[in-house]
mmCIF file of all heavy atoms in Angstrom:
data_model
loop_
_atom_site.group_PDB
_atom_site.id
_atom_site.type_symbol
_atom_site.label_atom_id
_atom_site.label_comp_id
_atom_site.label_asym_id
_atom_site.label_seq_id
_atom_site.Cartn_x
_atom_site.Cartn_y
_atom_site.Cartn_z
ATOM 1 N N VAL A 1 148.898 60.120 103.907
ATOM 2 C CA VAL A 1 149.681 61.304 104.019
ATOM 3 C C VAL A 1 151.057 60.979 104.546
ATOM 4 O O VAL A 1 151.097 60.488 105.705
ATOM 5 C CB VAL A 1 148.945 62.417 104.678
ATOM 6 C CG1 VAL A 1 149.813 63.634 104.869
ATOM 7 C CG2 VAL A 1 147.669 62.764 104.089
ATOM 8 N N ALA A 2 152.099 61.368 103.903
ATOM 9 C CA ALA A 2 153.445 61.192 104.416
ATOM 10 C C ALA A 2 154.403 62.355 103.921
ATOM 11 O O ALA A 2 154.159 63.012 103.029
ATOM 12 C CB ALA A 2 153.982 59.803 104.014
ATOM 13 N N ARG A 3 155.509 62.321 104.729
ATOM 14 C CA ARG A 3 156.630 63.317 104.344
ATOM 15 C C ARG A 3 157.940 62.547 104.324
ATOM 16 O O ARG A 3 159.070 63.237 104.435
ATOM 17 C CB ARG A 3 156.665 64.550 105.073
ATOM 18 C CG ARG A 3 156.853 64.372 106.637
ATOM 19 C CD ARG A 3 156.741 65.655 107.392
ATOM 20 N NE ARG A 3 156.832 65.391 108.820
ATOM 21 C CZ ARG A 3 156.350 66.147 109.811
ATOM 22 N NH1 ARG A 3 155.486 67.177 109.431
ATOM 23 N NH2 ARG A 3 156.523 65.945 110.929
ATOM 24 N N SER A 4 158.031 61.219 104.444
ATOM 25 C CA SER A 4 159.187 60.496 104.404
ATOM 26 C C SER A 4 158.972 59.227 103.584
ATOM 27 O O SER A 4 157.840 58.653 103.672
ATOM 28 C CB SER A 4 159.548 60.067 105.856
ATOM 29 O OG SER A 4 160.696 59.050 105.801
ATOM 30 N N GLU A 5 159.970 58.933 102.740
ATOM 31 C CA GLU A 5 159.869 57.590 102.093
ATOM 32 C C GLU A 5 160.107 56.473 103.122
ATOM 33 O O GLU A 5 160.492 56.679 104.348
ATOM 34 C CB GLU A 5 161.097 57.540 101.044
ATOM 35 C CG GLU A 5 161.207 58.728 100.092
ATOM 36 C CD GLU A 5 160.059 58.741 99.048
ATOM 37 O OE1 GLU A 5 159.115 57.893 99.072
ATOM 38 O OE2 GLU A 5 160.108 59.717 98.212
ATOM 39 N N ILE A 6 159.858 55.161 102.705
ATOM 40 C CA ILE A 6 160.020 54.070 103.593
ATOM 41 C C ILE A 6 160.921 53.032 102.872
ATOM 42 O O ILE A 6 161.066 53.098 101.694
ATOM 43 C CB ILE A 6 158.655 53.473 104.071
ATOM 44 C CG1 ILE A 6 157.976 52.798 102.762
ATOM 45 C CG2 ILE A 6 157.874 54.522 104.736
ATOM 46 C CD1 ILE A 6 156.673 52.128 103.117
ATOM 47 N N HIS A 7 161.476 52.125 103.611
ATOM 48 C CA HIS A 7 162.114 50.976 103.059
ATOM 49 C C HIS A 7 161.077 50.029 102.494
ATOM 50 O O HIS A 7 160.231 49.550 103.286
ATOM 51 C CB HIS A 7 163.127 50.309 104.093
ATOM 52 C CG HIS A 7 164.106 51.280 104.532
ATOM 53 N ND1 HIS A 7 165.176 51.614 103.656
ATOM 54 C CD2 HIS A 7 164.618 51.607 105.690
ATOM 55 C CE1 HIS A 7 166.011 52.364 104.272
ATOM 56 N NE2 HIS A 7 165.734 52.500 105.510
ATOM 57 N N ASN A 8 161.171 49.629 101.266
ATOM 58 C CA ASN A 8 160.218 48.691 100.668
ATOM 59 C C ASN A 8 160.050 47.525 101.374
ATOM 60 O O ASN A 8 158.994 46.928 101.698
ATOM 61 C CB ASN A 8 160.684 48.432 99.305
ATOM 62 C CG ASN A 8 160.707 49.539 98.369
ATOM 63 O OD1 ASN A 8 160.638 50.712 98.805
ATOM 64 N ND2 ASN A 8 160.956 49.400 97.050
ATOM 65 N N TYR A 9 161.127 46.953 102.002
ATOM 66 C CA TYR A 9 161.035 45.609 102.716
ATOM 67 C C TYR A 9 160.183 45.801 103.935
ATOM 68 O O TYR A 9 159.665 44.722 104.326
ATOM 69 C CB TYR A 9 162.376 45.059 102.863
ATOM 70 C CG TYR A 9 163.379 45.932 103.647
ATOM 71 C CD1 TYR A 9 163.329 46.128 105.000
ATOM 72 C CD2 TYR A 9 164.408 46.601 103.070
ATOM 73 C CE1 TYR A 9 164.088 46.890 105.656
ATOM 74 C CE2 TYR A 9 165.307 47.364 103.662
ATOM 75 C CZ TYR A 9 165.157 47.529 104.997
ATOM 76 O OH TYR A 9 166.131 48.376 105.678
ATOM 77 N N ASP A 10 160.170 46.826 104.576
ATOM 78 C CA ASP A 10 159.378 46.929 105.720
ATOM 79 C C ASP A 10 157.866 46.697 105.512
ATOM 80 O O ASP A 10 157.294 46.052 106.292
ATOM 81 C CB ASP A 10 159.550 48.347 106.462
ATOM 82 C CG ASP A 10 160.878 48.582 107.150
ATOM 83 O OD1 ASP A 10 161.437 47.535 107.632
ATOM 84 O OD2 ASP A 10 161.328 49.667 107.334
ATOM 85 N N PHE A 11 157.491 47.240 104.303
ATOM 86 C CA PHE A 11 156.123 46.977 103.993
ATOM 87 C C PHE A 11 155.888 45.574 103.406
ATOM 88 O O PHE A 11 154.969 44.758 103.886
ATOM 89 C CB PHE A 11 155.655 47.936 102.861
ATOM 90 C CG PHE A 11 154.297 47.812 102.405
ATOM 91 C CD1 PHE A 11 153.287 48.532 103.117
ATOM 92 C CD2 PHE A 11 153.852 47.084 101.372
ATOM 93 C CE1 PHE A 11 151.913 48.453 102.631
ATOM 94 C CE2 PHE A 11 152.621 46.911 101.009
ATOM 95 C CZ PHE A 11 151.604 47.599 101.591
ATOM 96 N N THR A 12 156.759 45.041 102.469
ATOM 97 C CA THR A 12 156.557 43.770 102.054
ATOM 98 C C THR A 12 156.720 42.586 103.032
ATOM 99 O O THR A 12 156.044 41.620 103.061
ATOM 100 C CB THR A 12 157.520 43.476 100.781
ATOM 101 O OG1 THR A 12 158.856 43.777 101.376
ATOM 102 C CG2 THR A 12 157.244 44.435 99.665
ATOM 103 N N ASP A 13 157.633 42.774 104.068
ATOM 104 C CA ASP A 13 157.819 41.846 104.971
ATOM 105 C C ASP A 13 156.587 41.666 105.948
ATOM 106 O O ASP A 13 156.106 40.602 106.227
ATOM 107 C CB ASP A 13 159.030 42.079 105.827
ATOM 108 C CG ASP A 13 160.424 41.672 105.173
ATOM 109 O OD1 ASP A 13 160.271 41.002 104.029
ATOM 110 O OD2 ASP A 13 161.414 42.103 105.638
ATOM 111 N N PHE A 14 156.036 42.852 106.300
ATOM 112 C CA PHE A 14 154.890 42.844 107.085
ATOM 113 C C PHE A 14 153.723 42.198 106.324
ATOM 114 O O PHE A 14 153.018 41.292 106.916
ATOM 115 C CB PHE A 14 154.446 44.308 107.433
ATOM 116 C CG PHE A 14 153.152 44.340 108.183
ATOM 117 C CD1 PHE A 14 153.298 44.455 109.579
ATOM 118 C CD2 PHE A 14 151.901 44.525 107.643
ATOM 119 C CE1 PHE A 14 152.062 44.661 110.380
ATOM 120 C CE2 PHE A 14 150.794 44.526 108.454
ATOM 121 C CZ PHE A 14 150.832 44.645 109.753
ATOM 122 N N MET A 15 153.554 42.398 105.052
ATOM 123 C CA MET A 15 152.437 41.723 104.338
ATOM 124 C C MET A 15 152.629 40.337 104.215
ATOM 125 O O MET A 15 151.657 39.549 104.345
ATOM 126 C CB MET A 15 152.282 42.476 102.999
ATOM 127 C CG MET A 15 152.126 44.090 103.027
ATOM 128 S SD MET A 15 150.791 44.598 104.087
ATOM 129 C CE MET A 15 149.310 43.909 103.317
ATOM 130 N N LEU A 16 153.883 39.847 103.985
ATOM 131 C CA LEU A 16 154.152 38.492 103.839
ATOM 132 C C LEU A 16 153.997 37.671 105.097
ATOM 133 O O LEU A 16 153.415 36.450 105.095
ATOM 134 C CB LEU A 16 155.583 38.244 103.392
ATOM 135 C CG LEU A 16 155.924 38.521 101.959
ATOM 136 C CD1 LEU A 16 157.432 38.562 101.612
ATOM 137 C CD2 LEU A 16 155.130 37.629 100.944
ATOM 138 N N VAL A 17 154.223 38.276 106.247
ATOM 139 C CA VAL A 17 153.932 37.610 107.464
ATOM 140 C C VAL A 17 152.416 37.180 107.578
ATOM 141 O O VAL A 17 152.202 36.064 108.079
ATOM 142 C CB VAL A 17 154.288 38.534 108.639
ATOM 143 C CG1 VAL A 17 153.612 37.965 110.013
ATOM 144 C CG2 VAL A 17 155.737 38.624 108.895
ATOM 145 N N PHE A 18 151.628 37.905 107.079
ATOM 146 C CA PHE A 18 150.152 37.640 107.214
ATOM 147 C C PHE A 18 149.500 37.132 105.905
ATOM 148 O O PHE A 18 148.339 36.873 105.758
ATOM 149 C CB PHE A 18 149.384 38.871 107.610
ATOM 150 C CG PHE A 18 149.844 39.409 108.934
ATOM 151 C CD1 PHE A 18 150.530 40.582 109.021
ATOM 152 C CD2 PHE A 18 149.402 38.760 110.235
ATOM 153 C CE1 PHE A 18 151.007 40.931 110.346
ATOM 154 C CE2 PHE A 18 149.810 39.169 111.396
ATOM 155 C CZ PHE A 18 150.617 40.296 111.521
ATOM 156 N N GLY A 19 150.415 36.807 104.849
ATOM 157 C CA GLY A 19 150.055 36.137 103.697
ATOM 158 C C GLY A 19 149.278 37.099 102.680
ATOM 159 O O GLY A 19 148.530 36.634 101.826
ATOM 160 N N PHE A 20 149.540 38.415 102.781
ATOM 161 C CA PHE A 20 148.848 39.301 101.814
ATOM 162 C C PHE A 20 149.741 39.649 100.665
ATOM 163 O O PHE A 20 151.003 39.501 100.791
ATOM 164 C CB PHE A 20 148.505 40.669 102.621
ATOM 165 C CG PHE A 20 147.500 40.537 103.694
ATOM 166 C CD1 PHE A 20 147.780 41.155 104.860
ATOM 167 C CD2 PHE A 20 146.395 39.679 103.577
ATOM 168 C CE1 PHE A 20 146.808 40.919 105.902
ATOM 169 C CE2 PHE A 20 145.476 39.502 104.569
ATOM 170 C CZ PHE A 20 145.670 40.132 105.782
ATOM 171 N N ASN A 21 149.029 40.182 99.672
ATOM 172 C CA ASN A 21 149.774 40.461 98.363
ATOM 173 C C ASN A 21 149.355 41.840 97.894
ATOM 174 O O ASN A 21 149.138 42.095 96.690
ATOM 175 C CB ASN A 21 149.492 39.477 97.340
ATOM 176 C CG ASN A 21 150.397 39.607 96.046
ATOM 177 O OD1 ASN A 21 151.577 40.071 96.213
ATOM 178 N ND2 ASN A 21 149.924 39.232 94.980
ATOM 179 N N SER A 22 149.185 42.789 98.890
ATOM 180 C CA SER A 22 148.695 44.083 98.477
ATOM 181 C C SER A 22 149.780 44.902 97.851
ATOM 182 O O SER A 22 151.012 44.646 98.123
ATOM 183 C CB SER A 22 148.197 44.875 99.793
ATOM 184 O OG SER A 22 147.129 44.127 100.378
ATOM 185 N N ASN A 23 149.357 45.827 97.140
ATOM 186 C CA ASN A 23 150.320 46.742 96.350
ATOM 187 C C ASN A 23 150.185 48.119 97.052
ATOM 188 O O ASN A 23 149.094 48.593 97.268
ATOM 189 C CB ASN A 23 150.065 46.918 94.884
ATOM 190 C CG ASN A 23 150.321 45.585 94.156
ATOM 191 O OD1 ASN A 23 151.320 44.843 94.503
ATOM 192 N ND2 ASN A 23 149.448 45.263 93.196
ATOM 193 N N LEU A 24 151.348 48.810 97.164
ATOM 194 C CA LEU A 24 151.480 50.218 97.618
ATOM 195 C C LEU A 24 151.998 51.045 96.641
ATOM 196 O O LEU A 24 153.193 50.801 96.225
ATOM 197 C CB LEU A 24 152.140 50.306 98.998
ATOM 198 C CG LEU A 24 152.263 51.740 99.530
ATOM 199 C CD1 LEU A 24 150.948 52.272 99.932
ATOM 200 C CD2 LEU A 24 153.279 51.659 100.731
ATOM 201 N N TYR A 25 151.352 52.078 96.052
ATOM 202 C CA TYR A 25 151.907 52.956 95.060
ATOM 203 C C TYR A 25 152.376 54.275 95.826
ATOM 204 O O TYR A 25 151.540 54.731 96.595
ATOM 205 C CB TYR A 25 150.750 53.258 94.098
ATOM 206 C CG TYR A 25 150.383 51.998 93.236
ATOM 207 C CD1 TYR A 25 149.266 51.300 93.698
ATOM 208 C CD2 TYR A 25 151.051 51.560 92.102
ATOM 209 C CE1 TYR A 25 148.879 50.233 93.051
ATOM 210 C CE2 TYR A 25 150.730 50.448 91.400
ATOM 211 C CZ TYR A 25 149.565 49.776 91.875
ATOM 212 O OH TYR A 25 149.214 48.667 91.186
ATOM 213 N N SER A 26 153.604 54.662 95.584
ATOM 214 C CA SER A 26 154.046 55.784 96.178
ATOM 215 C C SER A 26 154.246 56.929 95.287
ATOM 216 O O SER A 26 154.849 56.821 94.237
ATOM 217 C CB SER A 26 155.458 55.426 96.961
ATOM 218 O OG SER A 26 156.063 56.531 97.549
ATOM 219 N N VAL A 27 153.589 58.004 95.518
ATOM 220 C CA VAL A 27 153.701 59.184 94.770
ATOM 221 C C VAL A 27 154.581 60.386 95.330
ATOM 222 O O VAL A 27 154.235 60.666 96.448
ATOM 223 C CB VAL A 27 152.282 59.743 94.461
ATOM 224 C CG1 VAL A 27 152.336 61.050 93.638
ATOM 225 C CG2 VAL A 27 151.476 58.671 93.732
ATOM 226 N N ASP A 28 155.542 60.841 94.732
ATOM 227 C CA ASP A 28 156.283 61.960 95.263
ATOM 228 C C ASP A 28 155.689 63.208 94.597
ATOM 229 O O ASP A 28 155.786 63.427 93.442
ATOM 230 C CB ASP A 28 157.703 61.855 94.855
ATOM 231 C CG ASP A 28 158.588 60.872 95.687
ATOM 232 O OD1 ASP A 28 158.055 60.445 96.800
ATOM 233 O OD2 ASP A 28 159.590 60.345 95.302
ATOM 234 N N ASP A 29 155.175 64.071 95.502
ATOM 235 C CA ASP A 29 154.665 65.436 95.014
ATOM 236 C C ASP A 29 155.821 66.428 95.122
ATOM 237 O O ASP A 29 156.093 66.924 96.200
ATOM 238 C CB ASP A 29 153.458 65.818 95.755
ATOM 239 C CG ASP A 29 153.014 67.219 95.314
ATOM 240 O OD1 ASP A 29 153.243 67.642 94.144
ATOM 241 O OD2 ASP A 29 152.475 67.984 96.176
ATOM 242 N N GLY A 30 156.652 66.662 94.049
ATOM 243 C CA GLY A 30 157.774 67.458 94.136
ATOM 244 C C GLY A 30 159.001 66.588 94.455
ATOM 245 O O GLY A 30 159.072 65.318 94.383
ATOM 246 N N PRO A 31 160.168 67.309 94.815
ATOM 247 C CA PRO A 31 161.381 66.635 95.182
ATOM 248 C C PRO A 31 161.174 65.588 96.274
ATOM 249 O O PRO A 31 160.417 65.830 97.332
ATOM 250 C CB PRO A 31 162.385 67.679 95.441
ATOM 251 C CG PRO A 31 161.813 68.976 94.817
ATOM 252 C CD PRO A 31 160.244 68.743 94.781
ATOM 253 N N SER A 32 161.797 64.386 96.294
ATOM 254 C CA SER A 32 161.637 63.446 97.303
ATOM 255 C C SER A 32 162.409 63.920 98.584
ATOM 256 O O SER A 32 163.529 64.283 98.380
ATOM 257 C CB SER A 32 162.198 61.998 96.877
ATOM 258 O OG SER A 32 162.168 61.186 97.897
ATOM 259 N N PRO A 33 161.805 63.672 99.674
ATOM 260 C CA PRO A 33 162.597 64.074 100.897
ATOM 261 C C PRO A 33 163.517 62.903 101.277
ATOM 262 O O PRO A 33 164.235 63.188 102.303
ATOM 263 C CB PRO A 33 161.456 64.189 101.978
ATOM 264 C CG PRO A 33 160.422 63.294 101.467
ATOM 265 C CD PRO A 33 160.433 63.301 99.996
ATOM 266 N N GLY A 34 163.417 61.746 100.718
ATOM 267 C CA GLY A 34 164.343 60.636 101.122
ATOM 268 C C GLY A 34 163.691 60.005 102.396
ATOM 269 O O GLY A 34 162.555 60.333 102.845
ATOM 270 N N ASN A 35 164.350 59.055 102.847
ATOM 271 C CA ASN A 35 163.970 58.456 104.168
ATOM 272 C C ASN A 35 164.392 59.134 105.363
ATOM 273 O O ASN A 35 165.695 59.280 105.571
ATOM 274 C CB ASN A 35 164.386 56.950 104.157
ATOM 275 C CG ASN A 35 163.870 56.097 105.306
ATOM 276 O OD1 ASN A 35 163.761 56.544 106.541
ATOM 277 N ND2 ASN A 35 163.436 54.969 104.953
ATOM 278 N N LEU A 36 163.589 59.795 106.021
ATOM 279 C CA LEU A 36 163.918 60.671 107.283
ATOM 280 C C LEU A 36 164.261 59.881 108.507
ATOM 281 O O LEU A 36 164.825 60.422 109.499
ATOM 282 C CB LEU A 36 162.874 61.714 107.520
ATOM 283 C CG LEU A 36 162.465 62.637 106.342
ATOM 284 C CD1 LEU A 36 161.449 63.527 106.783
ATOM 285 C CD2 LEU A 36 163.697 63.321 105.715
ATOM 286 N N GLY A 37 163.920 58.625 108.533
ATOM 287 C CA GLY A 37 164.125 57.779 109.707
ATOM 288 C C GLY A 37 163.340 58.118 110.921
ATOM 289 O O GLY A 37 162.486 58.999 110.895
ATOM 290 N N GLY A 38 163.636 57.375 112.038
ATOM 291 C CA GLY A 38 163.000 57.753 113.335
ATOM 292 C C GLY A 38 161.469 57.642 113.265
ATOM 293 O O GLY A 38 160.839 56.897 112.456
ATOM 294 N N ALA A 39 160.825 58.551 114.049
ATOM 295 C CA ALA A 39 159.299 58.524 114.003
ATOM 296 C C ALA A 39 158.692 58.904 112.704
ATOM 297 O O ALA A 39 157.642 58.358 112.423
ATOM 298 C CB ALA A 39 158.752 59.519 115.078
#
């Protein structure tokens, strides 16, 4: 569950550090809120 988009590289870099190749599918229910930053 989320209400902010994320930067793709934050996810991919984390996964690469540990040698994983997982996929994350992001679904926008309605208009995208964009990346809200911070917490």
